[in-house]
Amino acid sequence: MNKYKIQIYAFIIFAGIIMTILIDNDQLDKISPKQANQENPLFSSNTSSDPFDLVPPNWTRVTPKSSMRLAEFNVKNPSGNYDVIVFKNIGGTENQNKERWFNQFSGNFFPQLERQSESMDIRGSKLTFIQTSGTFNGGMGQSEPMDNAGLMGFIINTNADTYYFKSVADAKIILDGKKEFVETVLSLPLF
């Protein structure tokens, strides 16, 4: 029963974060872009039409290491740095890609980063949050194995495209960056 309590609490927290983002986004729609950037210090003041320019200042956009990547960011948080890799319309189904990500890990899970996949529909798009942890065995774009690693990711299916956000790093860094990662991805005007 305790196992289900943790999953239920995690889902409630996840849903609360999403609701907070939706409410904040609704409020931001009612003010001008200049006011939104001044009142919400999480986002940079860039007014570009590129949705990936609307990330927090600690998300540094870098040149993607592969032509398969739509965008790539290096993110700094108090525990260290991690990379966020963004793909668009890559091969395979959502479930195939999700299972591939899960299968890149083995060993014991960290209690706060147990293998999890939660989906919900927002504004006509299906969003799936994914997390896991343990020993990272290497994989596409990050071939170096890593002990005590964590993964957090999103798969966003819109009417037109599917976006994949993936980050693998030391589990402590992932845990410390999880809230900001979720808030940032959910705030991007992709859906």
Side-chain angles (χ1 to χ4, degrees):
M1 184 68 177
N2 284 339
K3 179 180 178 184
Y4 296 112
K5 283 183 183 177
I6 292 171
Q7 290 174 337
I8 290 169
Y9 290 141
F11 181 75
I12 290 169
I13 291 169
F14 179 68
I17 290 170
I18 290 173
M19 290 302 296
T20 301
I21 296 298
L22 290 175
I23 290 168
D24 287 344
N25 283 345
D26 184 51
Q27 297 299 319
L28 287 175
D29 289 343
K30 296 176 183 173
I31 57 178
S32 73
K34 185 176 179 182
Q35 288 174 316
N37 289 331
Q38 289 173 349
E39 293 177 14
N40 189 349
L42 180 65
F43 300 100
S44 67
S45 61
N46 192 327
T47 58
S48 169
S49 63
D50 182 349
F52 298 112
D53 286 342
L54 300 174
V55 296
N58 63 317
W59 285 49
T60 304
R61 193 167 189 170
V62 296
T63 303
K65 295 176 185 156
S66 164
S67 61
M68 289 183 59
R69 299 176 182 181
L70 178 63
E72 190 169 338
F73 301 90
N74 181 268
V75 182
K76 294 180 177 151
N77 73 26
S79 296
N81 295 353
Y82 64 94
D83 292 327
V84 175
I85 300 168
V86 183
F87 302 95
K88 180 179 174 184
N89 299 330
I90 58 176
T93 66
E94 175 184 333
N95 284 335
Q96 289 170 332
N97 282 292
K98 183 170 56 174
E99 285 305 311
R100 182 174 46 81
W101 290 0
F102 283 146
N103 291 331
Q104 291 173 345
F105 286 78
S106 61
N108 295 326
F109 300 110
F110 293 93
Q112 301 96 339
L113 282 174
E114 289 185 20
R115 182 176 171 158
Q116 175 184 350
S117 172
E118 300 286 338
S119 296
M120 61 181 15
D121 293 328
I122 300 177
R123 297 185 293 250
S125 296
K126 179 183 175 193
L127 281 73
T128 303
F129 175 76
I130 299 156
Q131 72 174 27
T132 193
S133 60
T135 299
F136 179 66
N137 301 310
M140 281 181 48
Q142 188 172 0
S143 58
E144 296 293 322
M146 182 188 322
D147 292 329
N148 304 317
L151 173 143
M152 59 185 167
F154 263 105
I155 300 174
I156 301 173
N157 285 307
T158 69
N159 291 331
D161 298 300
T162 303
Y163 296 92
Y164 297 83
F165 292 79
K166 180 183 179 189
S167 183
V168 175
D170 179 270
K172 181 168 177 28
I173 295 171
I174 292 293
L175 281 170
D176 287 348
K178 186 175 171 181
K179 181 179 184 233
E180 181 184 49
F181 175 81
V182 169
E183 289 174 347
T184 300
V185 172
L186 293 178
S187 72
L188 295 175
L190 300 173
F191 57 97

mmCIF file of all heavy atoms in Angstrom, residues 132-154:
data_model
loop_
_atom_site.group_PDB
_atom_site.id
_atom_site.type_symbol
_atom_site.label_atom_id
_atom_site.label_comp_id
_atom_site.label_asym_id
_atom_site.label_seq_id
_atom_site.Cartn_x
_atom_site.Cartn_y
_atom_site.Cartn_z
ATOM 1 N N THR A 132 13.511 8.077 -14.337
ATOM 2 C CA THR A 132 14.063 6.817 -13.856
ATOM 3 C C THR A 132 15.454 7.113 -13.305
ATOM 4 O O THR A 132 15.944 8.231 -13.410
ATOM 5 C CB THR A 132 14.098 5.734 -14.953
ATOM 6 O OG1 THR A 132 14.354 4.460 -14.347
ATOM 7 C CG2 THR A 132 15.134 6.031 -16.016
ATOM 8 N N SER A 133 16.072 6.104 -12.729
ATOM 9 C CA SER A 133 17.412 6.284 -12.169
ATOM 10 C C SER A 133 18.094 4.940 -12.028
ATOM 11 O O SER A 133 17.510 3.895 -12.286
ATOM 12 C CB SER A 133 17.323 6.983 -10.807
ATOM 13 O OG SER A 133 16.553 6.211 -9.907
ATOM 14 N N GLY A 134 19.333 4.979 -11.589
ATOM 15 C CA GLY A 134 20.144 3.777 -11.409
ATOM 16 C C GLY A 134 21.461 3.965 -12.123
ATOM 17 O O GLY A 134 22.026 5.066 -12.158
ATOM 18 N N THR A 135 21.951 2.896 -12.741
ATOM 19 C CA THR A 135 23.179 2.966 -13.523
ATOM 20 C C THR A 135 22.802 3.224 -14.975
ATOM 21 O O THR A 135 22.067 2.444 -15.576
ATOM 22 C CB THR A 135 23.972 1.647 -13.416
ATOM 23 O OG1 THR A 135 24.321 1.439 -12.049
ATOM 24 C CG2 THR A 135 25.234 1.695 -14.255
ATOM 25 N N PHE A 136 23.295 4.330 -15.517
ATOM 26 C CA PHE A 136 23.061 4.645 -16.919
ATOM 27 C C PHE A 136 24.064 3.843 -17.726
ATOM 28 O O PHE A 136 25.266 3.937 -17.513
ATOM 29 C CB PHE A 136 23.223 6.145 -17.164
ATOM 30 C CG PHE A 136 23.020 6.556 -18.595
ATOM 31 C CD1 PHE A 136 21.783 6.434 -19.198
ATOM 32 C CD2 PHE A 136 24.080 7.070 -19.333
ATOM 33 C CE1 PHE A 136 21.588 6.816 -20.518
ATOM 34 C CE2 PHE A 136 23.892 7.465 -20.652
ATOM 35 C CZ PHE A 136 22.649 7.332 -21.243
ATOM 36 N N ASN A 137 23.557 3.030 -18.660
ATOM 37 C CA ASN A 137 24.402 2.125 -19.432
ATOM 38 C C ASN A 137 24.890 2.735 -20.737
ATOM 39 O O ASN A 137 25.542 2.072 -21.522
ATOM 40 C CB ASN A 137 23.626 0.830 -19.724
ATOM 41 C CG ASN A 137 23.192 0.159 -18.447
ATOM 42 O OD1 ASN A 137 23.978 -0.038 -17.539
ATOM 43 N ND2 ASN A 137 21.922 -0.179 -18.351
ATOM 44 N N GLY A 138 24.573 3.976 -20.978
ATOM 45 C CA GLY A 138 24.948 4.636 -22.217
ATOM 46 C C GLY A 138 23.798 4.564 -23.207
ATOM 47 O O GLY A 138 22.855 3.796 -23.051
ATOM 48 N N GLY A 139 23.861 5.394 -24.200
ATOM 49 C CA GLY A 139 22.798 5.403 -25.199
ATOM 50 C C GLY A 139 23.034 6.496 -26.210
ATOM 51 O O GLY A 139 24.032 7.211 -26.162
ATOM 52 N N MET A 140 22.075 6.632 -27.128
ATOM 53 C CA MET A 140 22.198 7.618 -28.207
ATOM 54 C C MET A 140 22.495 9.006 -27.645
ATOM 55 O O MET A 140 21.800 9.481 -26.757
ATOM 56 C CB MET A 140 20.904 7.679 -29.001
ATOM 57 C CG MET A 140 20.753 6.567 -29.984
ATOM 58 S SD MET A 140 19.223 6.654 -30.933
ATOM 59 C CE MET A 140 19.177 8.334 -31.462
ATOM 60 N N GLY A 141 23.524 9.604 -28.157
ATOM 61 C CA GLY A 141 23.838 10.973 -27.777
ATOM 62 C C GLY A 141 24.620 11.106 -26.482
ATOM 63 O O GLY A 141 25.160 12.141 -26.187
ATOM 64 N N GLN A 142 24.645 10.047 -25.694
ATOM 65 C CA GLN A 142 25.410 10.076 -24.446
ATOM 66 C C GLN A 142 25.897 8.656 -24.206
ATOM 67 O O GLN A 142 25.251 7.868 -23.536
ATOM 68 C CB GLN A 142 24.554 10.568 -23.288
ATOM 69 C CG GLN A 142 25.363 10.785 -22.031
ATOM 70 C CD GLN A 142 24.550 11.461 -20.939
ATOM 71 O OE1 GLN A 142 23.391 11.768 -21.111
ATOM 72 N NE2 GLN A 142 25.188 11.679 -19.809
ATOM 73 N N SER A 143 27.016 8.312 -24.770
ATOM 74 C CA SER A 143 27.482 6.935 -24.763
ATOM 75 C C SER A 143 28.232 6.542 -23.507
ATOM 76 O O SER A 143 28.492 5.375 -23.284
ATOM 77 C CB SER A 143 28.352 6.661 -25.992
ATOM 78 O OG SER A 143 29.446 7.547 -26.005
ATOM 79 N N GLU A 144 28.587 7.504 -22.662
ATOM 80 C CA GLU A 144 29.365 7.214 -21.462
ATOM 81 C C GLU A 144 28.481 6.638 -20.360
ATOM 82 O O GLU A 144 27.532 7.282 -19.934
ATOM 83 C CB GLU A 144 30.039 8.485 -20.939
ATOM 84 C CG GLU A 144 31.063 9.073 -21.880
ATOM 85 C CD GLU A 144 32.283 8.199 -22.046
ATOM 86 O OE1 GLU A 144 32.724 7.578 -21.059
ATOM 87 O OE2 GLU A 144 32.788 8.119 -23.173
ATOM 88 N N PRO A 145 28.791 5.421 -19.871
ATOM 89 C CA PRO A 145 28.039 4.893 -18.721
ATOM 90 C C PRO A 145 28.270 5.770 -17.490
ATOM 91 O O PRO A 145 29.280 6.455 -17.375
ATOM 92 C CB PRO A 145 28.639 3.504 -18.519
ATOM 93 C CG PRO A 145 29.275 3.160 -19.826
ATOM 94 C CD PRO A 145 29.742 4.468 -20.407
ATOM 95 N N MET A 146 27.292 5.745 -16.575
ATOM 96 C CA MET A 146 27.368 6.597 -15.390
ATOM 97 C C MET A 146 26.638 5.917 -14.234
ATOM 98 O O MET A 146 25.484 5.516 -14.375
ATOM 99 C CB MET A 146 26.696 7.937 -15.715
ATOM 100 C CG MET A 146 26.733 8.959 -14.607
ATOM 101 S SD MET A 146 25.726 10.459 -14.961
ATOM 102 C CE MET A 146 25.968 10.768 -16.681
ATOM 103 N N ASP A 147 27.321 5.780 -13.094
ATOM 104 C CA ASP A 147 26.673 5.269 -11.885
ATOM 105 C C ASP A 147 25.880 6.401 -11.234
ATOM 106 O O ASP A 147 26.159 7.579 -11.464
ATOM 107 C CB ASP A 147 27.719 4.748 -10.889
ATOM 108 C CG ASP A 147 28.408 3.489 -11.395
ATOM 109 O OD1 ASP A 147 27.772 2.720 -12.130
ATOM 110 O OD2 ASP A 147 29.594 3.289 -11.055
ATOM 111 N N ASN A 148 24.912 6.027 -10.399
ATOM 112 C CA ASN A 148 24.124 7.012 -9.643
ATOM 113 C C ASN A 148 23.535 8.092 -10.542
ATOM 114 O O ASN A 148 23.628 9.284 -10.253
ATOM 115 C CB ASN A 148 24.965 7.655 -8.547
ATOM 116 C CG ASN A 148 25.556 6.632 -7.610
ATOM 117 O OD1 ASN A 148 24.873 5.696 -7.212
ATOM 118 N ND2 ASN A 148 26.819 6.792 -7.267
ATOM 119 N N ALA A 149 22.949 7.678 -11.647
ATOM 120 C CA ALA A 149 22.414 8.620 -12.629
ATOM 121 C C ALA A 149 20.895 8.699 -12.537
ATOM 122 O O ALA A 149 20.230 7.818 -11.987
ATOM 123 C CB ALA A 149 22.825 8.189 -14.030
ATOM 124 N N GLY A 150 20.376 9.774 -13.090
ATOM 125 C CA GLY A 150 18.931 9.956 -13.175
ATOM 126 C C GLY A 150 18.556 10.461 -14.550
ATOM 127 O O GLY A 150 19.378 11.038 -15.266
ATOM 128 N N LEU A 151 17.317 10.224 -14.929
ATOM 129 C CA LEU A 151 16.777 10.702 -16.190
ATOM 130 C C LEU A 151 15.459 11.389 -15.918
ATOM 131 O O LEU A 151 14.652 10.913 -15.110
ATOM 132 C CB LEU A 151 16.546 9.544 -17.161
ATOM 133 C CG LEU A 151 15.816 9.892 -18.476
ATOM 134 C CD1 LEU A 151 16.391 9.082 -19.622
ATOM 135 C CD2 LEU A 151 14.319 9.660 -18.396
ATOM 136 N N MET A 152 15.236 12.520 -16.566
ATOM 137 C CA MET A 152 13.923 13.138 -16.593
ATOM 138 C C MET A 152 13.675 13.541 -18.037
ATOM 139 O O MET A 152 14.596 13.924 -18.754
ATOM 140 C CB MET A 152 13.818 14.322 -15.648
ATOM 141 C CG MET A 152 14.774 15.454 -15.891
ATOM 142 S SD MET A 152 14.619 16.722 -14.609
ATOM 143 C CE MET A 152 16.101 17.675 -14.938
ATOM 144 N N GLY A 153 12.429 13.414 -18.454
ATOM 145 C CA GLY A 153 12.119 13.738 -19.829
ATOM 146 C C GLY A 153 10.643 14.013 -20.029
ATOM 147 O O GLY A 153 9.812 13.721 -19.159
ATOM 148 N N PHE A 154 10.343 14.584 -21.169
ATOM 149 C CA PHE A 154 8.970 14.836 -21.590
ATOM 150 C C PHE A 154 8.832 14.385 -23.025
ATOM 151 O O PHE A 154 9.750 14.555 -23.839
ATOM 152 C CB PHE A 154 8.625 16.333 -21.550
ATOM 153 C CG PHE A 154 7.919 16.774 -20.320
ATOM 154 C CD1 PHE A 154 8.594 17.492 -19.356
ATOM 155 C CD2 PHE A 154 6.575 16.486 -20.122
ATOM 156 C CE1 PHE A 154 7.964 17.925 -18.211
ATOM 157 C CE2 PHE A 154 5.932 16.903 -18.971
ATOM 158 C CZ PHE A 154 6.616 17.633 -18.016
#
